[in-house]
Amino acid sequence: MVRLYDSQKRILVTGGAGFIGSHLIDRLLAQGHEIICADNLFTGTKRNIEHLLGHPRFEFLRHDVTFPLYVEVDEIYNLACPASPVHYQHDPVQTTKTSVLGAINMLGLAKRLKCKIFQASTSEVYGDPLVHPQPESYWGSVNPIGPRACYDEGKRCAETLFFDYHRMHRTEIKVVRLFNTYGPRMHHADGRVVSNFVVQALKGEPITIYGDGSQTRSFCYVDDVVDGCIRLMETGPEVTGPVNLGNPQEFTIRQLAQSVMAIVGRSADIVFKDLPQDDPRQRQPDAALAERLLHWQPSVSLQQGLEHTVDYFRIRLAELGIPAG
C-alpha cells in the first residue's frame, strides 16, 4: 500500500531523467508530491520520464547543475552526475564540476530555502578498499590522480561540502553511498557490468569480463535503492548519514555472467580483457547502519532483479532496432 504524506511537498530532483532519478520521481509522485525534475540530458533521457510529461504534478527543466537554479521547493534530491565509467570519463573535468559545483549550487539553494537536501554519493568514495565489507567509518583507498578520480574525488568533495554546510549553516543534510544499482532504464551502452552482460547475452555476443572475473560486487535493485533513499529523507535532523545503501550479498563477476546467461537462455563464450586501472577488487557494503536507522533491507533478489532487467532490455533493444533473442 502506498502511504500518502499528511501534506504535499514540492520537491526538486536533479538528475531526474536518469536511471535512478526517474524511478525516484515515480515513487514521489505516487506519494502525492509535486516534482520539479532538473536534468541537462547528458546521460539522462526524456524517454525515462516521457510517461510523466503530461502529469499535473510534474515539471521538467532542462538545466545543468553547474549553474545556479532559482526555484521554490520544500526538499531537494541531488542525483545529478554521470555514474558509469564510460560516461564520467568522457569529460572528466565536467564530471568533477558537476559533483562539486552542483553540490555548491544545490546547497546554496537549500540554505536560502532552509530546506532538507539529499546527496546521492557512491561506494566509489571507498576506492579499491583495504577494508571488507566497507562500513561508513572507512575513509577509503582512492587514487586521486587516476582516470576514475574525476568521479571518486568529485563525490568525496561533494560529501565534504555537505557536511561543511551542515556544520556552518545548520543545513539539514542526508547523504547516502549507493552501491552497484541496476534495473530497468539503465542505458544500454553505459559500460556497467549488468547492462553489458545483459545486452551481450541478448545479442548472442561473447560476454566480456575485465580481469579474471574473481573480483566481487554487490548488486542492489533500483526499487530497493529508491525505498532506502526516501526512508533516509524522512528521518529527523539528527540523522545526516553517510549511510550505505546496497545489497550485502556479494557475487563474483563470473557468477553474475553465469546468472545472466541462464536467465537469457543462451550460453556464450567469455572473453577476458585487462582490468581497467584502479578498478576495485572487492565491493560489498556493511549495511548494518541502514538496517538500524532506516529499518531497511533489500527485498529483491539478484535473480528477480535480473529477470526484470532482461525483460526491459529485450524491449529496449527492439525499439532501437538491435536484433536480440
Side-chain angles (χ1 to χ4, degrees):
M1 179 181 293
V2 174
R3 179 178 64 78
L4 295 178
Y5 280 81
D6 295 333
S7 60
Q8 183 186 87
K9 296 177 185 176
R10 184 171 168 84
I11 301 174
L12 170 65
V13 180
T14 70
F19 160 48
I20 298 176
S22 61
H23 285 280
L24 174 64
I25 287 174
D26 284 345
R27 189 80 62 89
L28 294 172
L29 284 171
Q31 291 182 332
H33 298 302
E34 182 180 351
I35 305 300
I36 299 176
C37 168
D39 201 302
N40 68 353
L41 302 182
F42 174 62
T43 56
T45 171
K46 277 194 175 180
R47 183 184 183 278
N48 288 339
I49 55 171
E50 64 184 359
H51 62 292
L52 303 174
L53 294 180
H55 195 291
R57 288 184 280 106
F58 176 81
E59 178 182 357
F60 173 71
L61 296 177
R62 186 159 185 169
H63 181 81
D64 187 327
V65 294
T66 62
F67 299 95
L69 180 60
Y70 302 101
V71 293
E72 302 296 320
V73 294
D74 303 304
E75 290 181 351
I76 301 168
Y77 284 84
N78 185 38
L79 282 75
C81 189
S84 73
V86 168
H87 290 147
Y88 68 64
Q89 292 178 18
H90 173 72
D91 187 343
V93 173
Q94 185 63 28
T95 296
T96 303
K97 288 170 67 176
T98 300
S99 288
V100 177
L101 295 180
I104 290 171
N105 288 328
M106 291 305 106
L107 284 163
L109 180 62
K111 176 190 171 186
R112 178 176 71 82
L113 297 175
K114 296 181 172 58
C115 74
K116 190 184 300 187
I117 181 169
F118 171 100
Q119 168 68 3
S121 190
T122 171
S123 60
E124 295 293 333
V125 301
Y126 299 123
D128 189 4
L130 304 177
V131 173
H132 191 74
Q134 294 84 56
E136 292 84 353
S137 58
Y138 177 52
W139 291 353
S141 175
V142 174
N143 176 2
I145 59 172
R148 301 171 70 103
C150 58
Y151 185 67
D152 300 2
E153 296 288 27
K155 286 290 191 178
R156 285 162 69 94
C157 184
E159 287 195 17
T160 299
L161 288 162
F162 266 70
F163 280 89
D164 284 340
Y165 265 76
H166 175 65
R167 284 184 286 262
M168 288 184 66
H169 307 298
R170 299 189 179 182
T171 305
E172 187 173 354
I173 64 169
K174 309 291 177 184
V175 178
V176 298
R177 292 173 177 166
L178 301 179
F179 284 66
N180 293 62
T181 306
Y182 72 100
R185 301 183 195 162
M186 295 182 79
H187 194 284
H188 71 282
D190 66 5
R192 298 190 218 194
V193 65
V194 172
S195 51
N196 274 0
F197 286 1
V198 170
V199 169
Q200 288 173 336
L202 286 172
K203 292 167 66 177
E205 296 177 348
I207 300 294
T208 303
I209 290 181
Y210 294 92
D212 63 5
S214 64
Q215 65 270 36
T216 65
R217 295 294 184 270
S218 301
F219 302 100
C220 198
Y221 191 64
V222 63
D223 287 356
D224 284 330
V225 167
V226 166
D227 178 55
C229 292
I230 293 175
R231 285 177 184 240
L232 178 61
M233 195 61 143
E234 291 177 343
T235 58
E238 72 283 356
V239 178
T240 60
V243 175
N244 288 337
L245 282 185
N247 195 321
Q249 285 192 299
E250 187 179 20
F251 298 90
T252 68
I253 299 302
R254 277 179 178 266
Q255 288 174 319
L256 176 68
Q258 292 163 356
S259 296
V260 168
M261 286 188 285
I263 292 168
V264 170
R266 283 181 173 176
S267 59
D269 293 333
I270 295 178
V271 176
F272 294 94
K273 295 189 176 181
D274 291 341
L275 194 67
Q277 182 180 341
D278 301 327
D279 195 65
R281 293 160 295 176
Q282 291 182 305
R283 184 58 57 75
Q284 180 189 16
D286 181 333
L289 186 62
E291 184 175 355
R292 178 168 61 84
L293 290 180
L294 311 179
H295 308 290
W296 177 88
Q297 287 182 323
S299 61
V300 180
S301 70
L302 183 63
Q303 175 75 19
Q304 293 170 318
L306 287 176
E307 288 172 357
H308 295 320
T309 306
V310 167
D311 289 343
Y312 167 80
F313 275 113
R314 285 189 198 276
I315 296 170
R316 183 61 183 138
L317 291 179
E319 291 173 345
L320 293 169
I322 300 173

